[in-house]
Amino acid sequence: MIVNIITLFPDMFSGVFSESILSRAIQGGHLDVRLIHLREYGLGSHRVVDDTPYGGGGGMILKPEPIAAALESLPERGHVILTTPRGRLFRQADALRLSSLNVITIICGHYEGVDERVSELFVHEELSIGDYVLTGGELPAMVIIDAVARLIPGVLGKDTTISGDSHYHGLLEHPHYTRPREFRGLAVPEVLLSGNHEQIRAWRREMALRKTRETRPDLMEHSLAGSEGKDED
Ligand code: ADE
């Protein structure tokens, strides 16, 4: 997958792409990240990228021309995403959907916002990573790319299953344990040592339902498992 990132702060990305799974995804040819420095498309000798809002109010708005020029410089643009707190909430289902695309382009929003005409002309979807406001769209872009990249076939090792992930079936994940069997007076639940796979599966499912009910009751309404879970009560 080619991921174009249009950003005012390309250096922010160096850490995430040079470590761990994302770095391996790039080395393995699953992910091709192309950073486009928006400043290079700024206007005039000062490379201006922002301006004050029409109608007054505080803050600066990203101008449309540099973003248009950056987008139009790309050999392939694919599916264009703008990161903004005004966007639709990014969820696991979106990560799965995006992971099947060949090319995506993420425009990292900044300052008070982006001139609306950018969205009207170029953007396929506006995504938010949560109901809070960050200083810019770079961290959201990293979050989206991380969530998407791990779903690209071949990126995670053979031993890693994504079907058990929190959110995969609309539920939070069951708890995990590893050695030692007892830690500071807390023992690993007996069922996990039983070797009875059917019982282990049932226990994990019950724990996932319980955790989701306690922590994210809103998720229960949407998940199929949630409605089954209600019948069990
Ligand atoms: N830019 C600033 N805050 C954001 C958020 N929560 N999601 C996406 N982009 C953002």
Side-chain angles (χ1 to χ4, degrees):
M1 171 188 280
I2 294 174
V3 182
N4 301 300
I5 306 170
I6 298 177
T7 170
L8 277 171
F9 301 101
D11 292 347
M12 282 181 73
F13 291 85
S14 51
V16 280
F17 294 131
S18 62
E19 300 284 345
S20 189
I21 291 170
L22 291 188
S23 156
R24 267 189 280 129
I26 292 169
Q27 299 300 321
H30 300 291
L31 197 61
D32 178 357
V33 177
R34 302 177 182 177
L35 289 160
I36 297 102
H37 195 173
L38 184 59
R39 183 67 64 188
E40 287 172 15
Y41 296 89
L43 305 185
S45 58
H46 289 101
R47 302 262 176 247
V48 174
V49 294
D50 58 344
D51 206 340
T52 53
Y54 274 119
M60 298 295 274
I61 308 298
L62 283 179
K63 295 169 70 59
E65 308 95 309
I67 297 178
L71 285 168
E72 283 161 358
S73 76
L74 298 171
E76 295 175 274
R77 214 184 288 169
H79 186 74
V80 181
I81 295 165
L82 173 69
T83 53
T84 162
R86 295 178 63 219
R88 196 169 51 74
L89 196 62
F90 175 71
R91 309 182 75 123
Q92 186 66 17
D94 297 300
L96 199 55
R97 173 173 53 85
L98 296 175
S99 72
S100 69
L101 302 180
N102 293 326
V103 186
I104 65 173
T105 295
I106 304 183
I107 305 167
C108 301
H110 245 277
Y111 306 124
E112 283 307 300
V114 178
D115 189 290
E116 188 65 19
R117 290 163 293 186
V118 169
S119 286
E120 284 180 37
L121 291 169
F122 302 109
V123 172
H124 297 112
E125 62 181 330
E126 297 182 341
L127 292 176
S128 163
I129 61 159
D131 295 337
Y132 38 78
V133 180
L134 299 164
T135 53
E138 281 73 15
L139 288 169
M142 292 177 212
V143 167
I144 291 168
I145 295 165
D146 192 288
V148 170
R150 66 189 288 286
L151 299 177
I152 298 172
V155 166
L156 293 182
K158 286 195 296 308
D159 293 343
T160 319
T161 56
I162 55 168
S163 62
D165 285 348
S166 284
H167 301 291
Y168 189 86
H169 295 293
L171 292 178
L172 302 182
E173 214 181 334
H174 58 77
H176 299 278
Y177 295 88
T178 185
R179 272 174 277 275
R181 245 172 107 145
E182 193 178 311
F183 178 67
R184 303 201 177 171
L186 297 179
V188 172
E190 243 354 275
V191 61
L192 297 179
L193 312 171
S194 69
N196 183 328
H197 294 293
E198 189 46 42
Q199 275 180 20
I200 292 173
R201 202 195 58 76
W203 180 85
R204 284 181 167 163
R205 184 175 165 72
E206 178 50 34
M207 290 298 118
L209 285 165
R210 195 182 292 177
K211 176 76 178 163
T212 309
R213 255 187 235 120
E214 280 168 14
T215 313
R216 292 289 305 276
D218 57 305
L219 293 179
M220 296 297 288
E221 285 168 30
H222 302 292
S223 85
L224 193 58
S227 45
E228 279 175 35
K230 273 180 204 150
D231 293 339
E232 287 166 17
D233 284 342

